[in-house]
Amino acid sequence: MGRIGVDIYPLQTGVSLARVETFGKFLGGSATNVAVAAARLGRRAAVITRTGQDAFGAYLHEALREFGVDDRWVTAVPGLPTPVTFCEIFPPDDFPLYFYRQPKAPDLELRTGQLDLAAIADARVFWMTGTGLCDEPSRSATLAALEHRAKSAAGAAITVFDLDWRPMFWTDPGRARPFYTEALMRATVAVGNLDECEIATGECEPHAAARALLDAGAELAVVKQGPKGVLALHRDGTTAEVPPVQIDVVNGLGAGDAFGGAMVHGLLAGWELEHTMRFANAAGAIVASRLACSSAMPYPSEVDALIEGRTPGPGPGPASPVGTADQASDGDA
């Protein structure tokens, strides 16, 4: 549940937008990319979000279906344009983003009364993001979904809070923490980088941040540290500290979403925590080595190859958007 839009990415790297001559158009939005990543790994996935009632909105529905992501809970908002996002690509670590979400992004028009609360409660994984808390009515809808799921979901259900801090989306970023605190009380997994952890908890040292996320209510805290790898700490005392995978970075955008979809895959599979984190790290690295986000999400064979020290080859299908419902397994994300 969260953001969707059209990514307009330059097909030249190391060039400012003022000088870029050609662009590619891709499905985008953090929560949506996570759903695509999970579908690429064989999970049944759907996204709850809203688009504009325009040609870009129609494109997003087509792209979701091509990736094998259920679009039944993606609805249109008349009068608001589908968001577009541009980026600049300066490898290895500079990828400025330019969000065009005015006058308001349709995904922030999610309303409690329109939610399929039964489906939210039944999903084996429910994923929501900090962006959904930045404005009304999305904030109330997101918190209502979390509350209903906390009361209704089965004991083995996983509720992931992607801290996803985007200060430019908040009218008053200083008001964010209370809403983050409320969401953490109802989440079982919290995942974010150090800046996002600091917004949520006030802590920016990795172990302190992980413990603060657990104290706030999560059962599993996952702290992404960029070039220092990832730290995962479970309430039962299990810890995993996994170094980064060394790759040649092309575009770092989308790596975190690939990490998220792969983490969901590992949690659903019941893997040990360290194996889940290694798999997620490798999935993120593969996307960072490619230009796009959604269409770059890896297949299981590609992730396994990188973990084993082999060069990931093409997955079981074209590298362009594919993913169909018949590729799905029994796992719901």
Side-chain angles (χ1 to χ4, degrees), residues 118-127 145-146 148-161 186-189 217-220 234 264 267-268 332-333:
I120 289 171
D122 287 345
R124 292 176 65 195
V125 174
F126 177 63
W127 180 289
L146 285 172
H148 182 80
R149 183 168 172 81
K151 290 179 179 178
S152 307
I158 300 164
T159 301
V160 183
F161 180 11
R186 295 173 173 84
T188 60
V189 180
E219 297 175 11
L220 173 63
H234 196 278
V264 164
L267 292 174
L268 284 171
D332 293 334

Side-chain angles (χ1 to χ4, degrees), residues 50-74:
R50 306 196 76 183
T51 70
Q53 198 167 45
D54 53 23
F56 274 149
Y59 159 72
L60 294 176
H61 277 277
E62 293 174 4
L64 285 168
R65 290 191 290 266
E66 288 173 349
F67 281 120
V69 176
D70 194 325
D71 66 339
R72 78 180 80 176
W73 295 292
V74 181

